[in-house]
Amino acid sequence: MSFVVPGPRRLVVTGAGSGIGRATAALAAARGWTVAGLDLAEVEGLVPCDITDEDSVREAFRQVDSLWDGQAPHALVHCAGVYRFKPATLTTAADWDAVVNLNARGSLLVAAAAAERMTASGGGSVVLLSSIAAARGDAGEPSAAYSASKGAVEALTRQLAVEWGPYEIRCNAVAPGVIDTPMTTVSHHPEAFEQVLRRIPAGRLGTAEEVARVCLFLASEESAYVSGTVIAVDGGQGAS
Ligand SMILES: NC(=O)c1ccc[n+]([C@@H]2O[C@H](COP(=O)([O-])OP(=O)(O)OC[C@H]3O[C@@H](n4cnc5c(N)ncnc54)[C@H](O)[C@@H]3O)[C@@H](O)[C@H]2O)c1
């Protein structure tokens, strides 16, 4: 009998300055992976990158190339994103563009930059961040632009899995429920928070590390035959 332990891998994490991205980068590093973290926020040790800007994404990946002497990433976990709570009737074209461009278009730009390198090096794994909002409406904290942007991320995930499959690049998404990160503000409002907790079978918010573990499963060879799918990390909320 032989035991195959997947060895260390080179991983690019976006949104590595906070929340799920930070937890993913930290967990991967603790497991011995080589990690390059990207973020808009200026954080020491991270490569600066604005995922809404094509040139900035190109330049950030060029910096990663030079950090790794031209070796391609094995995996990308793309966590950079934005959430805005705004009822549909109050959502302006500018609100829509800001959220959809960052979450949906940003996912394409970053995934394509990673895939370009993976194609040349024999494959890899791309992990995008969706949300429970892609599958369920939210009466309490409506955000039409956010929900639509995450629906787009899931459609993009399936398309990229099919388009890049021949290059041995897998593409999957993780759809978190309500996770305790700086993005989640509902916990600041006791009444709304009680309502949210009632909808979660687990009876609590998830942690960034619980999402990170699933992201790293998809980034690793443990999930070698998984592509084009979305894994919910929501304490059962999607089933309720
Ligand atoms: N927290 C939740 O409850 C939750 C639920 C569902 C989905 N998600 C998704 O998970 C992902 C991570 O969320 P989080 O909770 O860790 O959020 P977070 O706000 O803690 O972190 C987001 C990170 O993205 C970075 N970022 C924002 N705009 C950027 C840009 N233009 N270019 C580069 N980086 C940028 C921020 O600087 C920050 O470090 C997001 O895509 C989010 O939509 C989160």
Side-chain angles (χ1 to χ4, degrees):
M1 189 184 288
S2 73
F3 295 95
V4 179
V5 181
R9 295 162 69 78
R10 283 182 300 280
L11 172 70
V12 175
V13 180
T14 68
S18 175
I20 295 166
R22 183 155 71 180
T24 301
L27 187 61
R31 290 180 178 177
W33 294 22
T34 301
V35 182
L38 277 51
D39 207 296
L40 178 66
E42 281 180 35
V43 179
E44 201 190 334
L46 298 186
V47 176
C49 178
D50 179 355
I51 64 159
T52 63
D53 178 346
E54 224 168 354
D55 290 337
S56 173
V57 172
R58 274 202 211 100
E59 177 52 31
F61 273 82
R62 271 197 291 265
Q63 285 193 39
V64 175
D65 290 341
S66 56
L67 280 175
W68 293 345
D69 295 328
Q71 295 183 101
H74 295 107
L76 162 74
V77 179
H78 173 51
C79 299
V82 70
Y83 170 79
R84 261 189 219 168
F85 159 42
K86 210 161 202 196
T89 47
L90 301 180
T91 299
T92 63
D95 292 330
W96 177 275
D97 289 349
V99 174
V100 176
N101 280 348
L102 205 157
N103 290 347
R105 195 184 66 184
S107 294
L108 174 68
L109 294 180
V110 173
E116 197 185 317
R117 286 152 177 86
M118 292 171 182
T119 303
S121 71
S125 173
V126 169
V127 182
L128 303 179
L129 265 292
S130 178
S131 163
I132 192 167
R136 292 174 66 112
D138 186 343
E141 281 200 333
S143 177
Y146 182 76
S147 303
S149 74
K150 294 301 187 176
V153 167
E154 294 195 4
L156 180 66
T157 299
R158 290 185 283 274
Q159 177 58 33
L160 299 184
V162 170
E163 204 169 318
W164 295 342
Y167 305 102
E168 298 194 33
I169 300 170
R170 300 183 291 113
C171 184
N172 293 287
V174 172
V178 191
I179 310 301
D180 189 10
T181 74
M183 183 179 278
T184 304
T185 51
V186 70
S187 45
H188 306 165
H189 311 288
E191 214 170 284
F193 189 47
E194 278 308 309
Q195 279 180 18
V196 167
L197 288 183
R198 274 199 289 276
R199 296 202 301 264
I200 306 172
R204 63 171 177 86
L205 303 193
T207 67
E209 185 169 326
E210 286 169 325
V211 181
R213 283 191 216 129
V214 178
C215 291
L216 291 187
F217 163 69
L218 289 171
S220 77
E221 283 302 300
E222 300 283 358
S223 58
Y225 201 55
V226 181
S227 194
T229 197
V230 180
I231 300 185
V233 185
D234 63 2
Q237 190 180 350
S240 69

